[in-house]
Amino acid sequence: MVRRWARKWVNSRELPVSFRGCHGKTFSLYDNPAIRDELRSFVRSNKWAVNPEKLVEFSKAKMVPTAAAHYLEHITNFEIPEGLKKYMELELFPRIQLKSSKGISLATARRLLRREGFQFQKYKKSLYYDGHERPDVVADRQQRFLPEMAKYEEYLVEYIIGDVEHELWKMPNNFVERRLVLCAHDEMTAQANDDVGKGWIFDGAQPLWKKGAGRGLHQSDVICSTVGWLQEASHTLEYGKNYEGYWTGELFVKQVLVSLSSWSDSASSQYWQLKEKIIPAFERVHGAGFRMLLMVDNSQGHSAYAKDALLMSRMNMNPGGKQAHLWDGWFMHHGNKITQHMIFPQDHPEFPGMPKGMKYVLIGRGLWQDGLRVRCKDCTSNHCCAKQVLDHQPDFQAQKSLVEEVVESAGHRCIFLPKFHCELNFIEYFWGATKRYLRNNCNYTFSTLQANMPKALASVEVHTIRKWEHRMKRWMEHCKHFSMFYDKTL
Ligand SMILES: [Zn+2]
């Protein structure tokens, strides 16, 4: 660099100007909640060009299967991304006054769609979800999920296979902890006109309905093998009347919450349900001898963090500016755990009351090196940049998501399912049975749906739920022994 400066001086009698602090932060469209919502509602509202005649043929199952598959592939891979691209460039960007120099590539549009779970799949009777074979998903399942489940196994209440009325007798070696009950949580939606067998599958779970499919119910429930459906934990949300165009429950919940408060609170309904309903309901039904092992899916809301959580991504390099006010961290020094404030004191001469930023946090830990950059394009070690150093600090590594914090602070445990592995959650069978009941008792009115929902949920017997739990465990065993079969990278 000194040579370069010298050369510049020799050639032009000028010294280079520093660009420090002049770089714009990189910005992903998807990081902006308002844009993300716009994109989601667009994607879900069928505004792309679809040949109507072909769609009719397809939906009446008149198209030759191979032709139908071909046509759908074309829609998914070209027409929808093309429509999304146009929408973003001609409508969304001008509206939010965003300039995109090169426009949006088809690949970007496809990536956004995939991120929204938008892939066409055959709607099969048995549960089937794509994405299993992705190497990161396989790794997460094999290296995190299954070992974590194995760790809990000796404490789990289980019933005998083939004799689900009787509990499996277990006496762990060190029986100090309370026994664990596996509780499965999930969300689903049901519409008053739920009687169709074909649809677009979104987020791996729910068929996608045409706009104006009517009012519906969004359910968030918990089941366990000891008592079955946890009625008191159940949470129902109505939708559809004033929110036409938003089809899926999850999106809807987010939409409503966004309109009511700020985006950062959108996960709050889940915590509210967790704190006010699920945990108390579990404790009332099971008593003090049991802890809950709550199984939740890996969706965005569930991996949300508290607004002052220790996350490097929310920090700047230097003090002050726009960055989160994090809670205290800690580090080890000569065997002592030392608390570190992430905000300078009010009487600090230079940065009173300001967030410290990465540099000063690292200085405080004796880890700062001159020239350390924020992050690398391709990291080479766990100390090549400030991001790596901080991410490997014990307090940052131990940062838990909000769901974990709420569950664990109440003395319970939770486990996140690997992505795309909804079939590992035995509550999927519960939804299947609930929906069957609703379909069989459907008269296409919303009031009937409302009246039927609690009956449908209560109609499933606990013995059936125990059998589903066994089915799920067979699945897990299968994953353990046949990981080679799935892992195509091997
Ligand atoms: Zn790095």
Side-chain angles (χ1 to χ4, degrees), residues 372-389:
L372 204 62
R373 56 186 148 192
V374 181
R375 63 181 87 225
C376 323
K377 223 171 146 191
D378 297 298
C379 285
T380 49
S381 68
N382 54 17
H383 51 78
C384 53
C385 52
K387 169 189 161 36
Q388 286 290 333
V389 179

Side-chain angles (χ1 to χ4, degrees), residues 62-104:
K62 276 183 185 162
M63 210 181 240
V64 187
T66 46
H70 191 79
Y71 175 57
L72 288 166
E73 199 192 295
H74 180 74
I75 292 178
T76 329
N77 290 336
F78 294 96
E79 293 190 10
I80 301 175
E82 195 71 68
L84 182 65
K85 174 179 149 74
K86 265 193 203 144
Y87 163 73
M88 287 166 84
E89 288 172 355
L90 303 177
E91 274 186 59
L92 179 62
F93 289 173
R95 187 159 12 114
I96 58 174
Q97 280 148 24
L98 189 90
K99 266 192 213 156
S100 167
S101 51
K102 287 180 232 148
I104 296 284

